[in-house]
Amino acid sequence: MKILLVDDHRILLDGLKFLIQSQPGISEVDTADTVEGALAKIRSEIPDLIISDISIPEIGGIAFAQKVKSLYPKVRLIFLSMHDEPYRVKEALATGAEGYVLKKSAHSELLKAVEEVSKGGMYFSMGIQKILIQRMQFPEDERILTDREKEVLKLIFDEFSNKEIGEKLHISERTVETHRKNIYQKTKTNSLVGLLKFAMENNLVGGLS
């Protein structure tokens, strides 16, 4: 897998390159410290994955991602950011980006993001996941989720097992599994990160504007 790192801080770029290039499955790690330089390198050789600072100067990370995704839709993209506000995460995901990692996160989180995104998944920093879950809001409209499904979903976000959810809601473990399947079908996802993305797209998270 070929990766392009984009950040205007040279020391950070060199550190990230050293961290990532030693990982299995990584064939090449290139760097660019400007948007113009990044686009030139992409035109020369299209990477599989771009890891970009969301606050890159010139046109900014959001506009850069939009341009990349419009020209090279198969290229996957992870944002690095100092910002943990939900509206910024939503703005980033609207570009088609597959990952959002806080710069203050441990190196292991970035490596996990690379692994998940390279396999076709999505990844949010754990800090981002916790903030989004804390700000979750559920409207009365049952066309999205029924009241029971909302109860189950809240407990899924709190990382309870099916058995524990059943005990809390006084329903069988099999019934919990049915609710879980229905939630994933309705949201067209199969992971916690996918559920959070659905929640943001449907304005179920406070602070998105």
Side-chain angles (χ1 to χ4, degrees), residues 69-171:
K69 286 291 188 177
S70 65
L71 295 172
Y72 312 99
K74 291 185 179 180
V75 174
R76 305 185 74 75
L77 192 143
I78 296 172
F79 276 120
L80 287 177
S81 177
M82 295 187 298
H83 308 290
D84 59 9
E85 299 90 344
Y87 79 89
R88 290 186 181 272
V89 182
K90 183 180 182 182
E91 189 177 50
L93 292 180
T95 68
E98 288 80 15
Y100 195 99
V101 177
L102 295 175
K103 286 189 172 182
K104 64 183 179 183
S105 300
H107 286 164
S108 58
E109 276 219 86
L110 178 57
L111 295 179
K112 180 68 174 174
V114 171
E115 180 184 356
E116 289 295 321
V117 171
S118 67
K119 293 189 297 187
M122 297 186 67
Y123 190 86
F124 299 158
S125 286
M126 291 306 298
I128 290 291
Q129 292 189 33
K130 289 178 181 177
I131 290 170
L132 295 178
I133 290 168
Q134 289 168 356
R135 298 196 182 191
M136 199 68 66
Q137 303 168 338
F138 293 96
E140 295 299 319
D141 189 351
E142 291 204 358
R143 287 176 297 179
I144 298 177
L145 295 175
T146 67
D147 288 341
R148 178 62 89 187
E149 287 166 351
K150 292 170 191 172
E151 290 177 326
V152 171
L153 181 56
K154 287 177 184 177
L155 294 171
I156 290 174
F157 283 141
D158 287 334
E159 299 184 11
F160 286 104
S161 67
N162 286 352
K163 183 179 180 181
E164 291 169 330
I165 293 173
E167 290 171 352
K168 283 184 172 292
L169 299 181
H170 307 292
I171 56 179

Side-chain angles (χ1 to χ4, degrees), residues 58-74:
E58 298 171 43
I59 65 173
I62 297 295
F64 170 60
Q66 290 170 334
K67 191 162 190 173
V68 169
K69 286 291 188 177
S70 65
L71 295 172
Y72 312 99
K74 291 185 179 180

Side-chain angles (χ1 to χ4, degrees), residues 4 9 16 19 25 33-34 36 39 43 45 47 49 56 92 101 110-111 118 123 145 151 153 159 163 170 173 177 204:
L4 176 63
H9 295 94
L16 291 178
L19 173 71
D33 56 11
T34 65
E36 183 180 346
L39 291 172
R43 284 192 291 268
E45 185 174 14
L49 171 65
I56 190 80
V101 177
L110 178 57
L111 295 179
S118 67
Y123 190 86
L145 295 175
E151 290 177 326
L153 181 56
E159 299 184 11
K163 183 179 180 181
H170 307 292
E173 192 172 342
E177 182 60 34
L204 303 182

Side-chain angles (χ1 to χ4, degrees), residues 186-203:
K186 286 183 176 182
T187 58
K188 295 182 175 63
T189 185
N190 59 4
S191 68
L192 178 61
V193 172
L195 288 172
L196 288 172
K197 182 173 184 279
F198 170 85
M200 284 189 288
E201 289 174 343
N202 288 275
N203 296 314

